[in-house]
Amino acid sequence: MYRIPVPYFKLTEDFEIINVSQSVTHIFYPVTSFLDLVDWDSKTKFKQIKTDSSPGVMELNLKTTDSPTTLFTVYFHYQQKEKVIHLVCMNETSAFQHVQLEFQQWRKQLENNDWNEVVATDAEPVEADISFEFHKKQAERKISTINDLLGIIQDDLSEVGKLEYIKLIQSELEDIKGLLRS
């Protein structure tokens, strides 16, 4: 188990750690109970693991060596007969930060009227104007779609105390949409 390339935990029914993968030793503090790694707001949600259908997935805020709270997608399998819980924890913060960085880059390019860097056009001037308008409308449509998708996951992120991320993304999208319209 130690050589599994992702953060893996094997727990008792009482959430005591039996075994871990090597990557756990680099990401989390050494503790005997997994509950010591779970953020206070996520503990109640995590304890439901024994009543939820298994295998399953949930998002939890976990304490890492880098941060007091980091969002993880936790894949779990509770084996009631063996009284063992298996967890694989995937860090979601880096994905969010990547999206946030991309939005900031787009925003900067749009503020500087560097639209050609966002959408490449090699057409004639008249065709370029039509292409520009087409791509502008496409970008606005995609922003609306992203907002709709964020609305779907808003309740889930609110449960884990990460609603401010949704609000930040929505604010950035509205700013970009405003720049497209100006």
Side-chain angles (χ1 to χ4, degrees), residues 91-155:
N91 187 337
E92 295 299 326
T93 304
S94 60
F96 168 75
Q97 289 170 339
H98 176 72
V99 169
Q100 188 178 23
L101 178 64
E102 217 172 290
F103 281 137
Q104 289 171 348
Q105 289 171 344
W106 286 355
R107 183 178 189 185
K108 197 176 289 183
Q109 287 174 334
L110 291 172
E111 284 174 349
N112 296 330
N113 292 324
D114 291 338
W115 184 254
N116 290 332
E117 290 183 30
V118 179
V119 178
T121 57
D122 295 330
E124 295 292 319
V126 173
E127 291 175 349
D129 288 343
I130 294 169
S131 178
F132 175 79
E133 286 301 316
F134 172 77
H135 289 296
K136 189 174 163 182
K137 293 222 181 290
Q138 286 291 90
E140 288 180 6
R141 187 185 60 75
K142 288 178 186 274
I143 289 170
S144 294
T145 301
I146 292 170
N147 267 324
D148 293 344
L149 293 171
L150 289 172
I152 293 170
I153 63 170
Q154 187 170 352
D155 291 339

Side-chain angles (χ1 to χ4, degrees), residues 8 16 26 28 32 47 54 57 59 78 81 98-100 138 152 158 161 163 165 169 172:
Y8 165 81
E16 295 299 313
H26 302 291
F28 300 100
T32 56
K47 288 178 181 178
S54 196
V57 179
E59 287 186 336
Y78 174 47
K81 194 174 184 181
H98 176 72
V99 169
Q100 188 178 23
Q138 286 291 90
I152 293 170
S158 178
L163 186 59
Y165 290 140
I169 292 170
E172 293 291 324

